[in-house]
């Protein structure tokens, strides 16, 4: 993973930056991160801690994108209101396409529809069944009580993910670190990579569109696909109603990002940006992104559905009214 030296320039104080509007291009965007995790899924920080960190990093517009859940959104929304930040209701949905696990970020400016909430219940159940299957497989590979170990690592009743099993493998001495645990047991094609429980790509894109949201292919460069295969993915995604893809996800090679921008432009997909931040202390922080190239790709925040998200916040005439409890 190469870290560009120029990345320090992205921490300019909010007051030095032009406010984000629908007209802000991808290469000029600052203060925005539309891919972040909290302890509602496999992130380490609570939604409140995460939003505080985003604020400290000078971010003004964020989306909380926990895996297959909206459980952290209400808490994050309250904290964003406290800081005068904009939050998009969102989630990173697991699905499958041609035997591969694909992640689709659901940006839900209108919040979830009733049907979307029901779909999330289904995904949570799929995650439970998958965790049981992963545990069975890892037990055969020598990890006793795999499910209980993963649950203890999660430290809450939240749905389990592969990172919990990775840590369990490390703690049991079966892998040197989490990376090694993925490489040997949990990564694509390994025994612990159970994907048969996820719905089809077209299905989850349909849920998002039905809820008035924008569907975004998450980290398109991280599936180990050829460019041609990615064309096919984008075609299937667009055919199902998908509208966008992440042009930049954390750190990316400059030439590869440029090529991806051409591919998004070709498919007329909107472009999104996100760090995919999970925990402090690693290479990534909220807002840590390789620069986007100049391109013809329209930013996802220029999508009509996201117009309110980038409307500048009116300075309130009274004290921070957003922090006050609203009538219930
Ligand atoms: P799951 O949603 O349970 O399939 O887990 C996927 C998550 O595992 C991703 O969102 C990452 O947080 C993490 N992950 C995936 N691959 C790796 C890897 N090679 N090393 C470390 N963490 C990974
Ligand atoms: Mn994750
Ligand atoms: Mn992902
Ligand atoms: Mn993610």
């Amino acid at each position: 993973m190469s870290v560009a030296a120029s990345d320090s320039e992205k921490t300019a104080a909010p007051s030095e930056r032009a406010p984000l509007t629908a007209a802000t291009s991808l290469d000029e965007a600052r203060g925005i991160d539309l891919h972040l995790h909290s302890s509602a899924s496999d992130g380490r920080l609570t939604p409140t801690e995460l939003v505080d960190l985003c604020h400290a990093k000078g971010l003004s517009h964020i989306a909380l994108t926990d895996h297959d859940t909206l459980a952290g959104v209400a808490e994050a929304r309250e904290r964003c209101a406290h800081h005068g930040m904009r939050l998009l209701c969102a989630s990173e949905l697991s699905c499958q396409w041609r035997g591969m696990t694909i992640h689709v970020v659901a940006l839900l400016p209108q919040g979830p529809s009733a049907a979307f909430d029901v779909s999330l219940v289904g995904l949570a159940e799929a995650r439970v069944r998958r965790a049981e299957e992963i545990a069975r497989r890892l037990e055969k590979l020598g990890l006793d009580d795999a499910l209980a170990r993963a649950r203890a690592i999660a430290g809450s009743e939240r749905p389990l993910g592969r990172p919990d099993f990775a840590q369990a493998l490390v703690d049991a001495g079966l892998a040197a670190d989490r990376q090694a645990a993925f490489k040997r047991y949990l990564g694509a094609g390994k025994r612990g990579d159970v994907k048969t429980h996820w719905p089809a790509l077209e299905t989850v894109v349909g849920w998002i569109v039905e809820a008035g949201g924008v569907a975004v292919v998450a980290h398109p460069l991280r599936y180990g696909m050829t460019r041609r295969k990615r064309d096919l993915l984008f075609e299937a995604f667009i055919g199902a109603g998908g509208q966008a893809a992440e042009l930049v996800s954390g750190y990316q090679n400059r030439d590869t990002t440029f090529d991806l921008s051409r591919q998004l432009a070709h498919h007329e997909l909107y472009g999104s940006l996100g760090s995919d931040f999970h925990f402090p202390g690693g290479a990534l922080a909220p807002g840590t992104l390789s620069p986007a190239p100049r391109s013809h790709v329209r930013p996802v925040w220029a999508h009509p559905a996201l117009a309110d998200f980038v409307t500048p916040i009116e300075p309130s005439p009274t004290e921070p009214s957003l922090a006050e409890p609203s009538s219930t």
Side-chain angles (χ1 to χ4, degrees):
M1 215 180 282
S2 67
V3 178
S6 61
D7 280 326
S8 57
E9 74 198 21
K10 288 190 298 306
T11 45
S15 56
E16 294 167 23
R17 292 191 308 252
L20 188 85
T21 70
T24 310
S25 61
L26 282 157
D27 59 295
E28 288 171 330
R30 301 289 182 272
I32 182 162
D33 190 332
L34 300 180
H35 194 142
L36 296 157
H37 292 273
S38 78
S39 55
S41 68
D42 59 1
R44 194 159 307 153
L45 304 181
T46 65
T48 299
E49 291 166 343
L50 174 70
V51 172
D52 285 350
L53 181 58
C54 290
H55 183 250
K57 295 280 180 193
L59 300 185
S60 55
H61 291 72
I62 62 171
L64 180 65
T65 55
D66 277 308
H67 296 284
D68 306 316
T69 182
L70 297 171
V73 170
E75 183 183 323
R77 184 170 301 295
E78 198 168 307
R79 200 62 185 164
C80 279
H82 171 84
H83 289 303
M85 293 163 62
R86 280 286 165 95
L87 179 86
L88 263 181
C89 177
S91 177
E92 183 177 13
L93 305 182
S94 309
C95 61
Q96 50 178 327
W97 176 75
R98 295 196 174 195
M100 276 176 281
T101 299
I102 303 293
H103 287 171
V104 174
V105 168
L107 300 177
L108 302 167
Q110 303 170 34
S113 61
F116 190 91
D117 276 333
V118 171
S119 301
L120 280 188
V121 172
L123 275 185
E125 285 166 359
R127 205 167 255 284
V128 169
R129 286 197 305 277
R130 187 183 73 140
E132 290 166 356
E133 177 63 20
I134 292 174
R136 270 194 293 276
R137 293 186 184 190
L138 294 184
E139 280 172 14
K140 283 189 190 147
L141 295 170
L143 185 69
D144 301 335
D145 297 324
L147 201 57
R149 286 174 190 261
R151 175 56 64 204
I153 281 152
S156 74
E157 287 307 305
R158 67 158 172 79
L160 296 174
R162 282 182 288 166
D164 304 310
F165 289 99
Q167 191 59 49
L169 287 160
V170 174
D171 293 351
L174 288 163
D177 53 31
R178 298 217 291 177
Q179 200 64 37
F182 268 91
K183 201 166 175 193
R184 181 150 177 213
Y185 298 100
L186 295 159
K190 303 298 173 191
R191 286 290 291 153
D193 174 33
V194 182
K195 53 184 164 284
T196 50
H197 299 293
W198 298 133
L201 173 82
E202 292 80 359
T203 303
V204 304
V205 171
W207 298 340
I208 298 165
V209 172
E210 181 276 333
V214 177
V216 186
V217 176
H219 42 68
L221 299 176
R222 248 189 278 154
Y223 302 111
M225 285 179 194
T226 61
R227 194 182 200 278
R228 174 70 192 134
K229 191 80 177 257
R230 220 162 34 240
D231 274 328
L232 298 176
L233 169 67
F234 289 150
E235 280 166 19
F237 177 75
I238 291 163
Q243 307 102 316
E246 289 178 350
L247 175 59
V248 183
S249 172
Y251 291 120
Q252 285 180 188
N253 173 279
R254 203 185 136 106
D255 295 340
T256 318
T257 305
F258 180 72
D259 185 52
L260 181 61
S261 75
R262 298 186 59 128
Q263 201 174 13
L264 298 197
H266 170 80
H267 288 282
E268 298 185 7
L269 285 163
Y270 286 86
S272 187
L273 306 173
S275 62
D276 207 359
F277 171 79
H278 282 76
F279 48 84
L284 292 168
T288 309
L289 290 170
S290 295
R294 276 195 163 188
S295 74
H296 295 297
V297 180
R298 291 164 298 172
V300 72
W301 51 89
H303 190 286
L306 268 51
D308 285 349
F309 179 60
V310 286
T311 304
I313 297 172
E314 299 275 334
S316 61
T318 53
E319 265 268 73
S321 60
L322 289 166
E324 275 168 28
S326 55
S327 56
T328 44

